Amino acid sequence: MIHESEQPGAHVEVVLSQIGSLPTLSPIAVRVMRAANSGDADLREIARLIESDASMTAKVLALCRRADMGVSHAITTVDRAVVMLGLEAVRAAVLSVEIHEMFSHALERSEATRGRRADDAPAERAFDRKDLWRHSVAVASAAELIAEGNPAAMAGYSPQEAFLAGLLHDLGKLALDAILPRSFERVAVIARDRRMNIAEVERRVLGLDHHLAGKRLGEHWGLPHALQDVMWLHGQSSAMLPEVPHRVLIGVVTTADAAARRLHLGWSGNAAPIDDLDSLCRDFGFDARRVGEIDRVLIDRVSQRCVDIGLDHVTPASLMLDCLSRANGQLGQVSAILDARARDSGRAEVVLRHVTKFLAGDSERRSFASALSEVGRHAAGVLGSPSVAVVVEAREGSSWSLDEFDAMGAVGSHRVLEPPREFGSLRVLFESGARRVLSGSVAAWLTEQVNFASGSREARLVPLIGASGGLTAVLLHSGSAAETMLGAPGLEALAATWGVALSSASKHEGAKRLGEQLAEANRALSEAQSRLVSQKSMERLAEFTAGAAHEMNNPLMVISGMAQVLSEPGRAHEKLTAAAKIIEASEKLSELITNLHLFAEPPRPARTVGGVAELLNKAAGLARERAGVLGVGGRSKSPPKINLSCDPGIGAAYLDHQQIALALCELIVNGLLSSPKRGVDVRASVDGFDGGLVISVTDDGCGMSARALDHAFDPFFSELPAGRRAGLGLPRARRYVDLHRGEVMLESTPGKGTTARIILPDWRDSHSRQIANQAA
């Protein structure tokens, strides 16, 4: 036997291994089983083996006579029983007697080990072995009667085999009771009090049920597979049974179990609702009318079989009275359960009213302090305590605060407690359990800090919330009738409601503070961002101003100097040269002002339909003229080549060709100025994703630095040597492209070259767009 006090949670395999320690079948029973499975059995030798045990012989002959009343007068010896009824009937009788006697003796030894006789077992014991045996005999008798009335449905199984299967079907319960008596008694109590299926309780408490234990016991004894399957699978519906060859034998036992339980014959420990007998008959193929008729003879049959196997001498009349008594007892138990549920329902209604009333004022509890006051006021009224105290630990390791409240919610006192260091967190009080009188050093110290209005020095604890590492709160009160009035579940529900209110208020305050901190951080970030934008704007304005001043200052200095020359008398040739330079400088100023005017008041594009190839040629021509003016290539060598290509099918574009040509010219000129090795490639294509026109300008020149890329579109910015360009080319190109709702993109690697792209999504006229959409 497993020592349950030492191993309350014994592993399933450990429990099952103990089945091997149960008594084994006698040599007589083993020989009879082997003979029944053998084709050349010596029937006379088997008869002599049975007759060697006088007690077994008498009981076996009694059972065999009951098995067939038509030949009962001729069955006077075991030899005659074998001849008249067959070896299967004799085997069933032998096993019935053998197993009953074996467990009866085991019961006596078990009770003697625990210091009492079997018949001295306490009356209040929920699981009674004698009642289980009577239930098993009732199931066996019912299975026998069902088999007798439904021979066609039994698939070759005899009534005697049905009787044996019914007698053994619950042996797993006897095995578990023998191995784990105290645990199995607890299982029986839970199943009885909660009106549950005992197998479900067995699995929850023990980790296995009597079905599996019975199967293992059948394996240990070497019982036929049909009997093992009955002990393992009985009680399952037809739809849930696996495909085994013994379904009909399992079905007859399941149906017989329902018939026996319906008449309250014995007690199996199973308090679950009884399966509908008609449905079982329909599922397993039995005649429901004939099965229903066994009630008239079942009690007489059970009385006879109990006497035959030596269970007890009970008359049909006394058995009927026992059935009525059990029915009345179960009815009384159900009534008591309903009364208890009615009381619980009344308590739940009271608790629900309290919770509803408490939650109705939730809108007023906006701060943690007001929520704490409301919890104190409500708790004092509900618990019948003149005052209550709430102890709060904001976070683990912090000091504790204690607030006392009366039934009106008024704060009696507020103090900050500094508990001794060895106390640790307030969460230690949760180990004391809700509603218990506080004990221990922490509780004693805390009780001294509370001054209840009633003068009581006894504090009861109600845990409210105990988040690990976070808010912990407990409520202390001096009321003693709260648990009786509300019940333990009701008080726990109220405590959970109060705890949630405090937790929500704490989180609300935390969120509010966090929101304020985030708003302040956002304001500071916004100010810093504004300062940064302003600083960058000022830097770019300063750079723009310096560039514009520089570009304007050079022509103005020329105009000023040449004007002085003109003001001097004589020197006619020099005056003509000075006048020419004044004109040139004025033109530069005019061009600069025109460019600046492009940014201030850009002209609207004048779109026309024109060829893309012609657009590329025009831009290349403008770029060559500009490059010649800038001296690209020098006197000794020609300027780099401009290679033009246009993908087939592009055709015409609906653009301001002059503006796009000027924008493209600036990109080509930049490529020519980068000292390319193989020239500048200009290509027009259509984007395969969105159908936009893409004009790319690629060179393999010196490339652009990271700083140049960052400031490439800033007016007057240039890293070229002084006097080469004014730094308005790329800004002007982007401005022209922006007017067409397009964009200019740059990619560059220093030392390897640059690719500039003009992307124009809206480049087709409506007719061309319609044709393109149809083609797509």
Side-chain angles (χ1 to χ4, degrees):
M1 181 183 296
I2 293 177
H3 298 288
E4 297 169 79
S5 60
E6 298 176 4
Q7 301 185 43
H11 191 272
V12 172
E13 290 300 326
V14 177
V15 176
L16 291 175
S17 68
Q18 296 299 307
I19 292 177
S21 65
L22 294 175
T24 58
L25 296 176
S26 68
I28 296 175
V30 173
R31 289 292 303 276
V32 171
M33 281 198 301
R34 288 178 181 172
N37 297 326
S38 174
D40 56 351
D42 188 342
L43 301 183
R44 292 185 179 276
E45 181 182 355
I46 293 173
R48 285 195 298 273
L49 282 172
I50 297 173
E51 290 172 344
S52 66
D53 187 324
S55 175
M56 176 177 286
T57 299
K59 293 176 181 178
V60 167
L61 289 177
L63 284 174
C64 289
R65 292 190 190 101
R66 305 289 188 191
D68 194 333
M69 298 301 294
V71 298
S72 61
H73 63 282
I75 300 177
T76 57
T77 66
V78 177
D79 278 336
R80 288 294 293 171
V82 173
V83 172
M84 300 296 294
L85 300 178
L87 188 56
E88 289 292 342
V90 175
R91 180 185 70 168
V94 169
L95 288 178
S96 300
V97 173
E98 170 79 9
I99 293 173
H100 174 257
E101 289 188 350
M102 180 190 306
F103 270 99
S104 296
H105 296 155
L107 167 62
E108 293 174 359
R109 290 193 299 271
S110 174
E111 297 295 345
T113 301
R114 286 182 280 177
R116 63 175 184 269
R117 299 188 308 277
D119 55 355
D120 291 332
E124 66 273 9
R125 198 165 191 265
F127 181 75
D128 187 276
R129 296 182 181 91
K130 188 174 181 180
D131 284 343
L132 179 65
W133 271 117
R134 182 171 290 176
H135 166 77
S136 298
V137 172
V139 173
S141 301
E144 185 179 38
L145 289 168
I146 294 172
E148 290 172 357
N150 295 266
M154 289 304 297
Y157 288 102
S158 67
Q160 292 76 31
E161 290 175 293
F163 178 88
L164 180 60
L167 187 69
L168 305 186
H169 79 287
D170 265 351
L171 278 185
K173 295 175 183 175
L174 290 172
L176 291 176
D177 184 52
I179 296 171
L180 299 166
R182 287 191 294 274
S183 294
F184 195 73
E185 173 66 11
R186 187 165 68 252
V187 166
V189 170
I190 294 173
R192 179 196 64 192
D193 293 346
R194 300 185 185 180
R195 312 300 297 172
M196 293 177 64
N197 188 323
I198 193 170
E200 180 181 350
V201 182
E202 290 166 351
R203 289 189 291 270
R204 292 183 183 182
V205 176
L206 306 178
L208 77 163
D209 57 26
H210 68 275
H211 298 280
L212 181 57
K215 182 176 185 295
R216 287 295 182 90
L217 183 61
E219 294 171 353
H220 172 58
W221 284 347
L223 296 179
H225 289 296
L227 294 179
Q228 293 181 28
D229 284 346
V230 168
M231 290 190 284
W232 181 31
L233 300 171
H234 74 272
Q236 294 194 33
S237 66
S238 175
M240 297 299 294
L241 281 177
E243 290 299 327
V244 293
H246 324 296
R247 287 174 60 88
V248 65
L249 198 59
I250 298 169
V252 75
V253 171
T254 299
T255 307
D257 182 79
R261 288 185 60 205
R262 190 175 62 169
L263 294 179
H264 301 280
L265 284 164
W267 174 244
S268 67
N270 188 8
I274 302 173
D275 293 329
D276 180 65
L277 203 57
D278 290 342
S279 298
L280 290 174
C281 291
R282 183 173 59 254
D283 293 342
F284 290 111
F286 302 128
D287 187 329
R289 181 184 59 80
R290 291 184 177 181
V291 172
E293 291 174 351
I294 71 172
D295 291 354
R296 295 180 296 177
V297 296
L298 182 57
I299 290 181
D300 288 340
R301 182 70 64 93
V302 172
S303 174
Q304 295 166 0
R305 291 294 189 264
C306 286
V307 174
D308 292 341
I309 68 173
L311 178 60
D312 54 11
H313 294 273
V314 57
T315 64
S318 60
L319 190 59
M320 176 67 77
L321 290 175
D322 183 70
C323 292
L324 292 174
S325 175
R326 289 183 184 279
N328 288 332
Q330 291 192 30
L331 184 62
Q333 186 181 9
V334 171
S335 178
I337 291 174
L338 291 176
D339 288 342
R341 289 180 179 176
R343 288 193 298 272
D344 291 342
S345 178
R347 289 172 175 170
E349 186 178 354
V350 172
V351 170
L352 183 59
R353 284 202 304 268
H354 286 312
V355 170
T356 302
K357 184 178 179 181
F358 178 76
L359 294 178
D362 188 60
S363 60
E364 300 176 3
R365 293 191 296 275
R366 301 187 183 278
S367 66
F368 184 78
S370 61
L372 194 63
S373 174
E374 181 65 14
V375 168
R377 181 197 66 78
H378 192 254
V382 170
L383 301 176
S385 180
S387 62
V388 298
V390 181
V391 183
V392 176
E393 183 182 33
R395 59 184 179 279
E396 192 167 344
S398 64
S399 58
W400 303 352
S401 66
L402 185 147
D403 294 90
E404 296 183 51
F405 303 94
D406 59 20
M408 300 301 293
V411 180
S413 66
H414 170 80
R415 284 173 288 156
V416 176
L417 306 179
E418 294 294 340
R421 187 183 301 274
E422 62 270 17
F423 284 3
S425 172
L426 184 61
R427 287 178 53 81
V428 298
L429 291 182
F430 279 66
E431 301 173 1
S432 301
R435 301 165 307 282
R436 296 179 182 173
V437 177
L438 291 180
S439 60
S441 57
V442 178
W445 180 84
L446 196 57
T447 303
E448 293 176 357
Q449 314 303 315
V450 182
N451 297 312
F452 288 124
S454 62
S456 173
R457 301 306 301 165
E458 185 180 82
R460 293 177 178 269
L461 169 70
V462 178
L464 300 180
I465 184 171
S468 179
L471 178 69
T472 302
V474 297
L475 184 142
L476 307 176
H477 68 97
S478 59
S480 58
E483 186 170 351
T484 303
M485 178 180 62
L486 301 172
L491 188 52
E492 289 175 359
L494 276 170
T497 303
W498 295 331
V500 168
L502 294 179
S503 176
S504 298
S506 176
K507 290 178 180 178
H508 176 72
E509 279 198 353
K512 184 178 179 181
R513 287 193 296 270
L514 181 60
E516 293 172 351
Q517 293 171 0
L518 288 175
E520 179 63 24
N522 186 60
R523 185 190 61 79
L525 180 62
S526 179
E527 291 179 354
Q529 189 175 16
S530 298
R531 288 195 298 270
L532 182 60
V533 170
S534 177
Q535 181 179 353
K536 285 190 174 182
S537 297
M538 292 302 294
E539 289 176 354
R540 298 207 171 187
L541 179 59
E543 189 172 334
F544 177 85
T545 305
H550 174 76
E551 294 298 329
M552 291 183 180
N553 187 54
N554 289 336
L556 287 174
M557 288 181 63
V558 172
I559 292 173
S560 176
M562 294 302 103
Q564 291 179 15
V565 172
L566 290 175
S567 65
E568 295 177 359
R571 305 171 62 181
H573 177 72
E574 292 180 357
K575 288 181 179 183
L576 290 175
T577 302
K581 289 184 177 181
I582 289 175
I583 293 171
E584 182 183 354
S586 299
E587 289 176 350
K588 286 184 178 181
L589 279 176
S590 177
E591 182 184 2
L592 180 59
I593 292 171
T594 300
N595 288 332
L596 292 178
H597 187 69
L598 174 66
F599 295 103
E601 295 181 6
R604 294 183 62 180
R607 291 177 179 258
T608 58
V609 177
V612 174
E614 288 77 3
L615 172 64
L616 301 188
N617 283 319
K618 182 175 182 179
L622 293 173
R624 289 189 185 95
E625 293 178 7
R626 186 79 58 83
V629 172
L630 295 173
V632 176
R635 295 180 180 179
S636 60
K637 58 181 180 179
S638 61
K641 291 183 179 180
I642 302 176
N643 306 308
L644 305 178
S645 64
C646 188
D647 287 0
I650 291 182
Y654 184 60
L655 303 167
D656 186 323
H657 287 253
Q658 179 64 24
Q659 290 184 356
I660 298 302
L662 290 173
L664 183 56
C665 168
E666 297 292 349
L667 302 183
I668 297 173
V669 169
N670 276 358
L672 295 173
L673 291 173
S674 67
S675 303
K677 304 176 184 63
R678 294 188 299 273
V680 177
D681 297 327
V682 181
R683 178 191 173 204
S685 62
V686 177
D687 192 320
F689 178 72
D690 61 6
L693 177 63
V694 180
I695 304 175
S696 60
V697 179
T698 304
D699 66 69
D700 57 351
C702 61
M704 301 173 67
S705 67
R707 179 171 176 267
L709 276 175
D710 189 40
H711 295 276
F713 297 104
D714 292 349
F716 300 109
F717 175 83
S718 178
E719 286 190 331
L720 294 175
R724 295 294 294 270
R725 301 197 73 190
L728 289 175
L730 284 178
R732 184 167 56 184
R734 169 180 271 184
R735 192 57 171 160
Y736 284 133
V737 174
D738 285 345
L739 295 174
H740 287 72
R741 294 189 294 277
E743 60 179 326
V744 180
M745 300 180 65
L746 295 176
E747 295 178 7
S748 184
T749 301
K752 294 185 178 181
T754 302
T755 296
R757 293 183 179 87
I758 295 176
I759 302 173
L760 299 167
D762 185 19
W763 63 284
R764 288 189 172 101
D765 62 357
S766 57
H767 180 67
S768 301
R769 191 179 299 113
Q770 184 178 3
I771 294 174
N773 290 336
Q774 291 174 351

